[in-house]
Amino acid sequence: MTDIDMKFDPQRAAALVSQIKTVRERIAAVANGRDVRLVAVSKLKPANDILALVQQASPPQLHFGENYAQELSQKAELLPRSIQWHFIGGLQSGHCKNLAKIPNLWCVSSIDTEKKAQLLDKHRGEFLSSFSASASPQPTPEQINIHVQVNTSGESSKSGCAPGAPTVALCRLVEAAPNLHLLGLMTIGAIARSVATTAENENEDFLCLREQRDLVTNELGLERKLELSMGMSEDFEGAVAMGSGEVRIGSTIFGARPPKGEAKIRE
């Protein structure tokens, strides 16, 4: 439910609105007229900051990304149902049940194993059934959009499916899952490549993800175009120039994050 008593500092709100306006303008400058989704990554930032962007930005910012399942769940309880939440952190199997119960969870962008996809599908189905039986006046929750995460850099420290057959197999499973919707592919590439990325200098990880998208589309015989989710604060302009349909921007909008132990859900 929404905590209607939540306040935000007007000066802080004005700064956030200014920063997100600048990011939107930078995206538009390289998007060639395409509608690129901006996910504002609000991890370790208070719910007040999110509410400020929902209520003060023009148009309202509604897509927000979180890295920690518990933090997302707590914020979703406090904030308006109009928000479209994205879980973008490393997904643990034990988190799937609670995430699936968030009515306005719009997307999970870090599916990298069949087990996690199956659990998320199972628990979302159970939640949808119980919601229908409850006769709630709230809008009926929908399937969860899914980005399959691909480890395009081959780094052992990175999550994600290996390119090729493993990515195709996982996408095939998600496509068949009744309570999930295969939206596209996601990557978090090598930091060195991200730093070197510009609108003119193509990133090898982004090239790989584009190739994987085309492979999956052909192998699954899809008629729709799967989207690419690639690009963060350091490299989003280069990602958009290479066809990304979604970018995930945190510190450029919200500023430096506090240590996790000092972060507050709300102020």
Side-chain angles (χ1 to χ4, degrees):
M1 60 187 293
T2 302
D3 184 348
I4 58 173
D5 296 326
M6 188 182 299
K7 308 294 184 185
F8 49 79
D9 177 75
Q11 286 186 313
R12 172 65 173 166
L16 290 169
V17 168
S18 175
Q19 283 145 209
I20 205 163
K21 180 174 182 288
T22 299
V23 170
R24 288 171 172 176
E25 289 170 349
R26 289 172 63 186
I27 292 170
V30 291
N32 291 320
R34 291 187 301 114
D35 185 14
V36 176
R37 185 184 312 111
L38 169 58
V39 178
V41 180
S42 45
K43 73 172 182 180
L44 304 182
K45 291 294 182 176
N48 311 66
D49 280 2
I50 299 170
L51 187 64
L53 286 172
V54 171
Q55 295 187 350
Q56 299 291 309
S58 180
Q61 177 65 29
L62 295 178
H63 288 274
F64 290 90
E66 293 286 343
N67 287 63
Y68 305 114
Q70 183 177 3
E71 183 178 359
L72 194 163
S73 296
Q74 290 175 304
K75 288 176 177 176
E77 282 287 323
L78 292 172
L79 290 162
R81 276 282 295 272
S82 59
I83 290 175
Q84 295 170 298
W85 291 105
H86 296 239
F87 183 75
I88 62 174
L91 180 62
Q92 297 178 22
S93 297
H95 292 153
C96 290
K97 185 173 184 178
N98 287 336
L99 284 172
K101 292 179 180 179
I102 298 172
N104 50 333
L105 178 64
W106 195 82
C107 185
V108 173
S109 288
S110 48
I111 291 292
D112 57 359
T113 70
E114 294 188 359
K115 179 183 179 181
K116 294 172 189 175
Q118 290 166 337
L119 284 171
L120 199 62
D121 178 58
K122 172 179 179 288
H123 292 306
R124 188 63 165 188
E126 292 170 350
F127 173 68
L128 293 177
S129 295
S130 64
F131 188 91
S132 297
S134 70
S136 170
Q138 294 282 359
T140 302
E142 300 177 345
Q143 292 174 306
I144 300 172
N145 290 303
I146 299 294
H147 288 133
V148 167
Q149 183 172 356
V150 184
N151 185 349
T152 54
S153 64
E155 296 170 284
S156 59
S157 60
K158 291 283 197 310
S159 299
C161 282
T167 292
V168 172
L170 182 51
C171 287
R172 194 183 303 279
L173 184 148
V174 172
E175 176 69 7
N179 303 299
L180 307 179
H181 174 252
L182 180 61
L183 186 61
L185 305 181
M186 185 275 276
T187 189
I188 301 173
I191 292 175
R193 293 174 182 173
S194 293
V195 171
T197 300
T198 66
E200 296 78 28
N201 181 28
E202 293 191 329
N203 181 308
E204 293 174 51
D205 291 306
F206 298 163
L207 282 170
C208 179
L209 195 69
R210 202 161 63 185
E211 292 167 356
Q212 293 303 299
R213 188 266 309 277
D214 294 343
L215 174 66
V216 168
T217 300
N218 291 333
E219 290 290 323
L220 270 59
L222 300 177
E223 295 184 0
R224 69 184 188 277
K225 188 170 185 178
L226 297 176
E227 76 173 24
L228 303 172
S229 176
M230 54 192 195
M232 299 186 290
S233 289
E234 299 82 5
D235 55 15
F236 70 88
E237 285 154 313
V240 171
M242 292 182 65
S244 182
E246 174 185 280
V247 294
R248 306 175 302 279
I249 312 296
S251 57
T252 303
I253 297 169
F254 293 99
R257 298 183 183 93
K260 189 176 181 182
E262 298 175 16
K264 298 178 181 178
I265 294 297
R266 63 170 294 175
E267 292 179 338

